[in-house]
C-alpha cells in the first residue's frame, strides 16, 4: 500500500477560526441526525488508540432510550510517551468542551464529565475556570448541558473505558466484561459516550470546517490528521500534528537525529519498528494504529532496557483481575532477565513469545492483550540484544 | 470529635452519601492528612455505609491514595524510559542526597516522601518531577534543592 507524503496540519491548535462556542451554535442549527451523519461520513476514528468510529458510537448512544445519558471525556492519558491530551487541555480547552457539547446535543445528554488523571491535577484550577465560563455560554445559547471534572488517582488502567466508569463509581478500576458496551450501559449503568480528548476536538473541527474538507486529509482507513507526541532521541521533541498515512521513514527523516535505530509507535502497548522496516510501515489504521506516542531510539540505546522498562510498567499497572495479564507480565519480566543473565537459554524467548500469544487471546482487556505488541516486535527484531 | 472524624464528615457532606463519593472523599483526606489512616478509612466506611475492607480495597488499588504514613510533601519522579534517557537518576540521587533518605522513604520530620512514578506525561521535557500537584519539567539536579527548600 502506498503511504501519504509527510504533511504538517494545523487543525487542533489553530485559534484563528471561529470561537468554539460558535461551532456549538452551528451544530445546534443542524438536526441531531445531521450532526451524527457528518461525524460518520468524516470517517473519524477514536484517537485514544483503539480507533472505533466515533460517529457510529454517537449513533448507538442516540438510539438508546434513557432519561439520563452521559458524555465523558477520557483525559486519563497514561500511555508512556503520550502527552498530547495534556497539551490540548492546556492550550485549547474550549475546543474539547465544544466537542462534548456537540456530542451531548447529538445523543441527548445533559451531563458531561472530564475524567482527568491525577498526575494532571495542576490543570484543575484553570480548567474549572474555563468550564464555568463555557457552561454559562451553553445555557445562554439554550443547550441544557453542563460539564464537570472528576479527578483520577494514579492508575493507568483507568484509561480503559469501563475501568474508568468503575473508578468514577468509587470502585477499584477493574475493567468490566463487554458487552454491554458503554453506549448501552456505561457510567452508572446509563448510556454513555466516552471519547478521547483529541477525538472530541476533531468532532468540533469537522462541524466547523465540514466533512468535505476533513476527508481530504488522510487515507480511506485513516481519515484526517493526528497529534503526535514525539520524544526520545530527537531534536524536535514535542507535539506535532501530521496527516495520517505517512510512513515511518518520512517520520524519521523529519524527527530522527540521524542515527535512529528504532521507533516505538503507540507507546508501551504499541509496536517497535526497526530501521529495516521504516519505509514499508504506515502510521495509521492500515499499518500501525497509534494513540500518538512516538518514541525515537538511536543506536546508543539498549532495546533490552527499553523492553524491560515497558514490562516493569505493565507489571505495575496490570489491575490484577485476570490471571493471564497479572501472572503473564511478571513471567515475561522474569523471563527476559533469566535469558539476559544466562540462566535460561535463548530458546526460552520463543516460549515467552508463545506466552504473549496466550495473553493476547485470554486477557480481559486491552492492557494484557497489547503486551504482545511491544514484546514480540522488540524480541523478534532485536533478538541478539535480548541475549548478549 | 477528632480532626480526622471532622474532616471525613465535612467531605461526605460535600460529596454526598453514595458510593460515587468514595474517591473524592479519599482524595480529600489525602490532601489534608497526606495519607489514609486506619481511623480515616473506618470513618469513611461508616459514613458511606461500606465495609472498611471495601474502603481499604479500593484505596489500595490507586497509587495516589496511600494507606501508609507519608510525608507532608510527596515528590514523584517519572521513571519511564524517556525520562530515564534524559537522566532521571541524577535527579533521584540529588534528592536522596539532600534529604538523606532513599526512594520510597519519608524524612524523619515528616516533610517529604520520595517516590518514583510511571509516565507523568512530560516525555518531551524529561526528566520531570511532581511535588504534590506542582510540576517541574526539565528539572536539573542543581536546581532540585532550591525547589525542595520552597516547600519547607
Amino acid at each position: 500500500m502506498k503511504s501519504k507524503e509527510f504533511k504538517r496540519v494545523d487543525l487542533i491548535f489553530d485559534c484563528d477560526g471561529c470561537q468554539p462556542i460558535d461551532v456549538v451554535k452551528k451544530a445546534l442549527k443542524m438536526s441531531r441526525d445531521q450532526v451524527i451523519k457528518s461525524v460518520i461520513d468524516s470517517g473519524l476514528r477514536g484517537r485514544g488508540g483503539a480507533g472505533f468510529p466515533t460517529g457510529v458510537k454517537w449513533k448507538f448512544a442516540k438510539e438508546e432510550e434513557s432519561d439520563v445519558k452521559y458524555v465523558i471525556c477520557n483525559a486519563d492519558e497514561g500511555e508512556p510517551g503520550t502527552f498530547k491530551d495534556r497539551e490540548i487541555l492546556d492550550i485549547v480547552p474550549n475546543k474539547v468542551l465544544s466537542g462534548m457539547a456537540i456530542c451531548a446535543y447529538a445523543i441527548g445528554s445533559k451531563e458531561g464529565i472530564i475524567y482527568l488523571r491525577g498526575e494532571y491535577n495542576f490543570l484543575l484550577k484553570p480548567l474549572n475556570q474555563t468550564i464555568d465560563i463555557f457552561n454559562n455560554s451553553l445555557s445562554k445559547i439554550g443547550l441544557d448541558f453542563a460539564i464537570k471534572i472528576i479527578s483520577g488517582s494514579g492508575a493507568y488502567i483507568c484509561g480503559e473505558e469501563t475501568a474508568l466508569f468503575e473508578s468514577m463509581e468509587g470502585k477499584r478500576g477493574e475493567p468490566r466484561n463487554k458487552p454491554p458496551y458503554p453506549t448501552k450501559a456505561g457510567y452508572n449503568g446509563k448510556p454513555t459516550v466516552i471519547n478521547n480528548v483529541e477525538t472530541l476536538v476533531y468532532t468540533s473541527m469537522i462541524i466547523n470546517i465540514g466533512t468535505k474538507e476533513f476527508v481530504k486529509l488522510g487515507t480511506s482507513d485513516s481519515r484526517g490528521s493526528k497529534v503526535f507526541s514525539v520524544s526520545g532521541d530527537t531534536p524536535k521533541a514535542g507535539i506535532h500534528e501530521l496527516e495520517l498515512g505517512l510512513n515511518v521513514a518520512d517520520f524519521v527523516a523529519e524527527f530522527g537525529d540521524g542515527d535512529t535505530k528504532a521507533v516505538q509507535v503507540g507507546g508501551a502497548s504499541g509496536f517497535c519498528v526497526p530501521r529495516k522496516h521504516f519505509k514499508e510501515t504506515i502510521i495509521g489504521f492500515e499499518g500501525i494504529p497509534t494513540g500518538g506516542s512516538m518514541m525515537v531510539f538511536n543506536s546508543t540505546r539498549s532495546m533490552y532496557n527499553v523492553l524491560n522498562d515497558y514490562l516493569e510498567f505493565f507489571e505495575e499497572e496490570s489491575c490484577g483481575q485476570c490471571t493471564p495479564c497479572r501472572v503473564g507480565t511478571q513471567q515475561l519480566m522474569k523471563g527476559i532477565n533469566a535469558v539476559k543473565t544466562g540462566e535460561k537459554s535463548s530458546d526460552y524467548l520463543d516460549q515467552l513469545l508463545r506466552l504473549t500469544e496466550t495473553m493476547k487471546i485470554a486477557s480481559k482487556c486491552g492492557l494484557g492483550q497489547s503486551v504482545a505488541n511491544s514484546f514480540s516486535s522488540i524480541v523478534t527484531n532485536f533478538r541478539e540484544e535480548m541475549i548478549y | 470529635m477528632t480532626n480526622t472524624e471532622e474532616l471525613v464528615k465535612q467531605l461526605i457532606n460535600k460529596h454526598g452519601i453514595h458510593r460515587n463519593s468514595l474517591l473524592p472523599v479519599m482524595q480529600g483526606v489525602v490532601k489534608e492528612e497526606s495519607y489514609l489512616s486506619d481511623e480515616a478509612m473506618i470513618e469513611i466506611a461508616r459514613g458511606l455505609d461500606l465495609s472498611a475492607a471495601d474502603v481499604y480495597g479500593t484505596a489500595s488499588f490507586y497509587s495516589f491514595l496511600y494507606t501508609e504514613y507519608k510525608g507532608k510533601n510527596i515528590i514523584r519522579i517519572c521513571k519511564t524510559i524517556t525520562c530515564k534517557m534524559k537522566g532521571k537518576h541524577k535527579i533521584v540521587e540529588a534528592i536522596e542526597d539532600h534529604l538523606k533518605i532513599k526512594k520510597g522513604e519519608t524524612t524523619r520530620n515528616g516533610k517529604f516522601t520520595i517516590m518514583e512514578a510511571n509516565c507523568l506525561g512530560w516525555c518531551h521535557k524529561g526528566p520531570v518531577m511532581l511535588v504534590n500537584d506542582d510540576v517541574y519539567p526539565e528539572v536539573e539536579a542543581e536546581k532540585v534543592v532550591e525547589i525542595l527548600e520552597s516547600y519547607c
Side-chain angles (χ1 to χ4, degrees):
Chain A
M1 193 178 296
K2 219 177 154 308
S3 57
K4 299 279 284 191
E5 272 181 30
F6 181 93
K7 190 178 158 203
R8 286 184 183 273
V9 181
D10 194 13
L11 281 176
I12 296 266
F13 296 105
D14 174 34
C15 290
D16 291 341
C18 60
Q19 289 291 318
I21 193 75
D22 293 330
V23 185
V24 182
K25 275 190 211 159
K26 193 171 170 186
L28 292 183
K29 283 186 196 127
M30 300 160 71
S31 76
R32 295 165 63 190
D33 286 321
Q34 271 173 337
V35 171
I36 290 174
K37 191 173 180 300
S38 305
V39 181
I40 291 178
D41 290 347
S42 74
L44 177 67
R45 295 171 68 168
R47 295 293 194 242
F52 191 82
T54 306
V56 177
K57 198 185 261 187
W58 290 17
K59 183 165 167 269
F60 288 156
K62 179 185 179 266
E63 284 164 357
E64 290 295 325
E65 293 282 337
S66 174
D67 295 340
V68 180
K69 292 181 187 179
Y70 296 101
V71 176
I72 294 177
C73 168
N74 185 346
D76 193 52
E77 174 177 61
E79 189 67 49
T82 317
F83 43 90
K84 49 134 187 135
D85 291 342
R86 174 182 51 71
E87 297 266 325
I88 292 172
L89 284 169
D90 193 19
I91 301 170
V92 286
N94 276 307
K95 288 193 177 181
V96 182
L97 305 180
S98 71
M100 291 177 78
I102 292 163
C103 175
Y105 167 67
I107 69 164
S109 160
K110 292 182 177 131
E111 259 183 84
I113 300 161
I114 298 176
Y115 185 93
L116 186 73
R117 72 187 297 224
E119 288 85 341
Y120 293 170
N121 274 350
F122 52 86
L123 283 176
L124 277 173
K125 208 177 155 192
L127 206 49
N128 268 321
Q129 287 169 351
T130 311
I131 287 174
D132 283 345
I133 298 167
F134 193 83
N135 282 344
N136 248 329
S137 315
L138 285 181
S139 59
K140 270 185 209 147
I141 62 170
L143 183 66
D144 182 12
F145 178 66
I147 299 168
K148 65 170 182 181
I149 303 179
I150 288 185
S151 200
S153 267
Y156 167 73
I157 189 62
C158 290
E160 200 280 343
E161 50 192 21
T162 58
L164 188 147
F165 301 146
E166 290 287 300
S167 175
M168 284 176 30
E169 291 173 14
K171 299 173 210 154
R172 293 167 65 88
E174 292 174 350
R176 298 173 182 168
N177 284 324
K178 286 191 248 185
Y181 291 98
T183 46
K184 197 171 183 67
Y187 178 49
N188 289 339
K190 301 291 181 194
T192 305
V193 164
I194 175 162
N195 281 140
N196 173 263
V197 174
E198 186 188 347
T199 313
L200 287 163
V201 178
Y202 278 120
T203 59
S204 173
M205 292 298 99
I206 288 163
I207 299 301
N208 188 26
I209 64 172
T211 306
K212 264 189 195 152
E213 277 299 310
F214 188 78
V215 298
K216 281 183 191 163
L217 292 166
T219 64
S220 56
D221 268 354
S222 314
R223 283 280 171 238
S225 50
K226 164 103 195 68
V227 182
F228 289 90
S229 312
V230 185
S231 66
D233 295 312
T234 165
K236 295 180 186 169
I239 299 287
H240 301 273
E241 188 176 357
L242 307 173
E243 182 174 3
L244 279 168
L246 73 161
N247 67 43
V248 179
D250 289 343
F251 178 87
V252 169
E254 175 75 15
F255 296 105
D257 63 356
D259 185 26
T260 304
K261 156 162 98 171
V263 180
Q264 180 78 16
V265 182
S269 58
F271 293 84
C272 180
V273 183
R275 189 183 288 156
K276 64 180 179 212
H277 293 150
F278 282 173
K279 251 207 143 56
E280 70 217 45
T281 308
I282 295 176
I283 303 167
F285 294 102
E286 52 275 86
I288 300 182
T290 169
S293 166
M294 304 293 279
M295 294 191 230
V296 185
F297 300 109
N298 70 19
S299 62
T300 65
R301 307 293 173 188
S302 151
M303 295 314 283
Y304 173 83
N305 287 348
V306 172
L307 181 59
N308 194 55
D309 188 89
Y310 293 162
L311 290 175
E312 196 180 300
F313 171 77
F314 283 128
E315 190 201 2
E316 282 175 19
E317 297 293 347
S318 168
C319 79
Q321 185 185 192
C322 74
T323 313
C325 175
R326 182 186 65 246
V327 181
T329 49
Q330 292 169 10
Q331 291 305 320
L332 291 174
M333 177 110 175
K334 271 193 202 165
I336 62 159
N337 288 328
V339 172
K340 190 78 178 173
T341 55
E343 201 183 305
K344 294 271 184 194
S345 76
S346 59
D347 293 349
Y348 192 62
L349 289 173
D350 300 314
Q351 276 189 49
L352 295 175
L353 283 168
R354 280 201 294 280
L355 172 60
T356 61
E357 285 306 308
T358 307
M359 289 169 70
K360 205 183 209 170
I361 299 164
S363 295
K364 187 170 176 178
C365 80
L367 193 154
Q369 289 162 9
S370 60
V371 175
N373 299 348
S374 55
F375 190 88
S376 63
S377 58
I378 294 179
V379 168
T380 315
N381 291 306
F382 298 97
R383 198 179 168 97
E384 66 290 351
E385 288 191 39
M386 300 300 123
I387 304 166
Y388 303 109
Chain B
M1 211 182 242
T2 65
N3 290 342
T4 305
E5 279 174 25
E6 186 67 36
L7 173 65
V8 170
K9 207 178 144 198
Q10 276 173 15
L11 286 164
I12 291 177
N13 278 342
K14 182 180 167 197
H15 296 286
I17 303 176
H18 44 79
R19 175 83 198 212
N20 290 12
S21 305
L22 181 55
L23 253 67
V25 169
M26 292 199 290
Q27 286 163 348
V29 173
V30 170
K31 200 174 167 74
E32 290 302 318
E33 303 194 338
S34 81
Y35 83 113
L36 292 152
S37 59
D38 289 355
E39 188 197 357
M41 285 189 277
I42 290 166
E43 272 315 307
I44 294 170
R46 201 171 282 150
L48 293 179
D49 198 17
L50 300 167
S51 78
D54 202 352
V55 172
Y56 174 77
T58 308
S60 61
F61 184 88
Y62 294 94
S63 63
F64 281 21
L65 300 174
Y66 321 104
T67 52
E68 278 162 14
Y69 176 72
K70 289 282 176 285
K72 196 164 168 285
N73 300 295
I74 309 267
I75 307 164
R76 290 193 195 86
I77 294 127
C78 179
K79 63 167 183 179
T80 301
I81 188 77
T82 37
C83 280
K84 252 182 212 162
M85 286 156 61
K86 301 274 184 219
K88 68 101 192 161
H89 63 279
K90 282 189 203 150
I91 310 301
V92 176
E93 275 166 22
I95 298 173
E96 287 181 339
D97 198 45
H98 176 65
L99 297 176
K100 307 285 181 263
I101 51 169
K102 295 276 169 210
K103 278 182 295 195
E105 295 177 348
T106 302
T107 52
R108 280 176 82 97
N109 62 11
K111 276 198 175 150
F112 292 102
T113 298
I114 315 175
M115 298 170 124
E116 285 193 328
N118 282 322
C119 191
L120 295 174
W122 291 86
C123 318
H124 59 321
K125 288 187 177 169
V128 61
M129 170 171 88
L130 272 182
V131 183
N132 307 329
D133 286 346
D134 308 328
V135 64
Y136 298 93
E138 290 179 319
V139 62
E140 293 165 37
E142 297 75 32
K143 298 269 171 68
V144 161
V145 173
E146 204 179 301
I147 294 170
L148 296 187
E149 290 294 329
S150 68
Y151 288 88
C152 282

